[in-house]
Amino acid sequence: RLKKLYDTEKISIYQFPLAKNKGEIIQYTAPSGARGRGNEKLESLIKYVKKKIPPEEIEKAYVLSFKDAIPLWESHGFKIPEYNGTKLHLANNAGLDLLKGQIVIVAGKFDEAPDVYEDLYFDIHPEATEKPKRGWVKVETANRIKKIWLFDDEELTKIQQEKINLYLEQSAGRARALREAGAKVYLFANYLIEDADIYYDK
């Protein structure tokens, strides 16, 4: 994105190996993590979560999911974390330490609204006259190829990947699995994060 906006090739990207977690991040990639237009996909996601996580761990766990799905999770007996009287969700938990060392369920793949990407698209392609299209796009995440429903413009795909990855990693990071030996994060989304220790596809 910077190369395109500043019309330069003089930007270098460096990658460094990740430190091993003291705790554990387990990612299930079978569910897409999408909520559907009216949260209609969340009932099946909750059913899947209950199938994969032992009941004794669900009792202790805190859920980070979509903001407007909080009542649904609570109706199924799941705990939602709070900070200063505000219930936490996928988009408002950055930097908070109150879940360190806990069991955290990150359920869902948060993304910006489509019009955010459409505005970016016209910034990147000022000559464009039609809105960008979405479709199944093959992307490489955590050294694996996955098909994800994204905007299919190459530049926009990269930006969208950055944003989805950011929200997932921020949420998974609340348990501080890197530093806390007892921390355990269960992540349910088909966009793989590099920090996960184990991936399950079924």
Side-chain angles (χ1 to χ4, degrees):
R1 181 170 25 159
L2 289 171
K3 288 177 180 179
K4 186 113 179 155
L5 291 173
Y6 291 97
D7 192 25
T8 180
E9 290 296 320
K10 297 179 181 178
I11 297 172
S12 299
I13 299 172
Y14 297 92
Q15 289 186 309
F16 299 92
L18 292 169
K20 183 167 178 57
N21 291 320
K22 289 185 177 180
E24 192 173 31
I25 299 176
I26 302 162
Q27 182 165 7
Y28 289 89
T29 68
S32 71
R35 59 182 165 184
R37 289 178 181 263
N39 288 333
E40 74 271 6
K41 293 187 177 182
L42 287 178
E43 285 284 359
S44 61
L45 179 57
I46 291 170
K47 185 178 179 181
Y48 184 85
V49 169
K50 286 180 176 179
K51 180 181 175 183
K52 295 298 178 181
I53 303 178
E56 62 273 16
E57 291 198 356
I58 286 178
E59 283 183 18
K60 302 175 189 173
Y62 292 90
V63 173
L64 291 172
S65 190
F66 301 103
K67 180 181 179 180
D68 55 355
I70 288 173
L72 181 59
W73 285 97
E74 289 179 324
S75 73
H76 281 269
F78 289 88
K79 294 190 294 187
I80 306 296
E82 290 190 30
Y83 180 72
N84 285 345
T86 299
K87 293 187 178 182
L88 301 181
H89 49 82
L90 292 174
N92 75 342
N93 63 74
L96 297 178
D97 247 8
L98 73 160
L99 295 175
K100 67 181 180 181
Q102 301 293 320
I103 298 174
V104 178
I105 299 168
V106 179
K109 185 177 67 192
F110 183 81
D111 198 5
E112 302 285 359
D115 58 343
V116 172
Y117 293 110
E118 289 165 5
D119 289 344
L120 280 168
Y121 178 76
F122 289 115
D123 287 341
I124 295 168
H125 303 287
E127 75 287 352
T129 56
E130 294 184 7
K131 290 181 179 181
K133 293 180 172 60
R134 283 186 282 184
W136 291 104
V137 180
K138 281 186 179 179
V139 297
E140 184 176 346
T141 62
N143 297 316
R144 298 171 75 180
I145 303 295
K146 294 287 286 184
K147 272 189 177 182
I148 312 287
W149 186 259
L150 300 169
F151 284 99
D152 60 8
D153 173 76
E154 184 179 355
E155 296 298 324
L156 212 54
T157 296
K158 290 177 184 176
I159 294 170
Q160 194 172 15
Q161 280 185 262
E162 285 176 14
K163 288 182 177 289
I164 292 170
N165 188 69
L166 172 66
Y167 285 114
L168 285 175
E169 286 192 344
Q170 283 283 356
S171 297
R174 293 317 94 216
R176 306 298 189 207
L178 181 63
R179 301 191 301 270
E180 300 287 333
K184 185 179 276 190
V185 178
Y186 291 98
L187 174 56
F188 296 86
N190 65 353
Y191 191 93
L192 281 62
I193 64 168
E194 289 189 32
D195 204 26
D197 299 291
I198 304 169
Y199 304 101
Y200 291 113
D201 296 321
K202 294 182 180 179

